[in-house]
Amino acid sequence: MELRNLVFDCDGVSTSQADNGFLSSISLLNSEKAIQELLQQAPVQQNDDHLIEFSEALRTVAKALRRAAEGKAAAQAEAAEWKRKFELERERNLHLEYLSLDEDHRDADRRENLAGQSNKHVEQCCGSNGLCSHEVLRNGEADSDSKVVQDKYTRKASFKLSWWCKGEHSEQHKHDIVSFEKGNITTAERSSKQISLKWESDPQTVLILTKPNSTSVQILCAEMVSWLREQKKLDIYVEPRVRTELLTESSDFNFVHTWKDDNEITLLHRKVDLVVTLGGDGTVLWAASMFKGPVPPIVPFSLGSLGFMTPFYSERYKECLDSVLKGPISITLRHRLMCHVVRDAAKNEYETEEPILVLNEVTIDRGISSYLTYLECYCDSSFVTCVQGDGLILSTTSGSTAYSLAAGGSMVHPQVPGILFTPICPHSLSFRPLILPEHVTIRVQVPFNSRSHAWASFDGKDRKQLRPGDALVCSMAPWPVPTACLVDSTNDFLRSIHEGLHWNLRKTQSFDGPRDT
């Protein structure tokens, strides 16, 4: 056999690896090629033991040079990646520093404006336990410098939030927990206590969202719209599809309002005091997705197959709505994740696509590819792990009973602050789910050496492809989804897992042993 044939396989591997970009050292490559050319100059006879031994030694040297070239290329790639991450982190810190300085200026302006208000006004706002708004309903009153124009937005109802535990109001001042501005809820941090909503002025406008293609839902919607208009004298907003259905049934529903385009949807939170959903949890997800910012309180009626977020019974809608409109009511603040896709071509961390808000979870999976997903995960500036499996789920605590539960994640009370980190079919025996604090930012990146692309889906829709170098950045959104409780958040949660999942349902073991005397 000729020496040329002996080294053919080794030379073929070297060429394949060079095509894949692993051999980046020119000097090492040239040394290996020189050895191979030496081996190819003359054939080696089978009885020439010394030449055979020498050729094997040269092949060993060639393999060692190839491994050295691969190691050098890998080290250079890793160094380039860390340099890129360092530059991104530095730009991020500079951006945060700029925002901090800008916020300090705005805080100074706000303090100066608040200093000019009267002490009586401050006592009325902050003297009681809870949060209130003094800017929502002016009823056409004029300030000393300007006159407030009465329009459709000034009819928005005012309410306050307070915390209670075991029936007693907490003495803690709540301006550092929940802020209230013109009927919009936003939180800086969570409270472990039950939240109560009390109307300070009567609600004026209700938005009704329904599950499509359901005759029973259409009938209930028509009855509810008529009752709210005739008995409660409320303005009603519905989707364009629902308004068409109502007008097809009767022209008496011409008082119902709707919207024409997406620009009007973005202003709904300024017009609507209360949202009523008729359907299952999917209808609640749809209602939350309509509001890209603050969300009005939602009253979800159960008309679907599962009811983890829909505690109200449609048969008693009059009694339920009457209680909600009078108040006070217990609510659950369900936080959402804000997700940004950062493409590899982005110049910095802030050059992202339009953010997407999810109430349940964002899922990164392998799509139709036969390869395992390979994902690098970071929590703030700390490396978490590499995911090799079918994918990864980043879930809110409200979504803990959805896809995360099916993948082996824990069921978590919706008011527990946290982000669920749940792998999907990981190819590892020790990969267990995590629950991370809600204030962190999670970055999931598809590395350049991944065998295939990944796909991200948001609450089960809006799938986006993630190519090598792309990343998904997730953090908790500042605008929660407040949902009304039938009893309170804990009672509703436990009832939902008992009725929806038959959690720990088991026949009781019979007692047939000896009794102690």
Side-chain angles (χ1 to χ4, degrees), residues 30-104:
N30 290 336
S31 300
E32 182 187 1
K33 289 180 180 179
I35 293 175
Q36 290 178 356
E37 290 176 359
L38 179 62
L39 291 173
Q40 294 174 3
Q41 286 179 359
V44 179
Q45 302 298 327
Q46 294 183 356
N47 58 356
D48 198 346
D49 296 335
H50 295 289
L51 288 179
I52 292 176
E53 183 179 354
F54 179 68
S55 66
E56 292 293 339
L58 288 179
R59 274 194 293 271
T60 301
V61 173
K63 291 180 181 179
L65 290 173
R66 186 183 307 113
R67 285 195 295 268
E70 292 175 357
K72 183 175 181 180
Q76 290 174 343
E78 184 178 1
E81 180 65 15
W82 279 110
K83 180 180 179 182
R84 186 181 72 87
K85 292 176 181 178
F86 170 77
E87 292 175 351
L88 289 176
E89 184 66 20
R90 183 176 61 182
E91 291 182 5
R92 176 177 178 271
N93 292 335
L94 291 175
H95 183 73
L96 291 177
E97 182 179 357
Y98 171 77
L99 291 179
S100 177
L101 293 175
D102 191 38
E103 182 66 23
D104 291 341

Side-chain angles (χ1 to χ4, degrees), residues 456-502:
S457 59
F458 309 87
D459 276 342
K461 57 182 185 297
D462 298 331
R463 286 177 66 82
K464 292 180 178 291
Q465 188 180 49
L466 301 178
R467 301 177 180 85
D470 294 345
L472 180 69
V473 180
C474 298
S475 59
M476 199 66 76
W479 307 285
V481 178
T483 58
C485 302
L486 182 63
V487 181
D488 58 57
S489 61
T490 301
N491 184 285
D492 289 0
F493 172 70
L494 294 176
R495 182 175 58 83
S496 68
I497 63 175
H498 281 298
E499 295 181 359
L501 295 175
H502 303 293

Side-chain angles (χ1 to χ4, degrees), residues 397-413:
T397 51
S398 293
S400 66
T401 51
Y403 196 179
S404 177
L405 172 69
S410 297
M411 292 187 295
V412 186
H413 190 290

Side-chain angles (χ1 to χ4, degrees), residues 365-374 388-390 427 450-455:
D365 58 64
R366 60 191 178 98
I368 63 174
S369 173
S370 59
Y371 294 107
L372 297 177
T373 57
Y374 184 36
Q388 296 183 82
D390 281 354
H427 199 255
S450 177
R451 290 189 173 186
S452 64
H453 300 163
W455 292 84

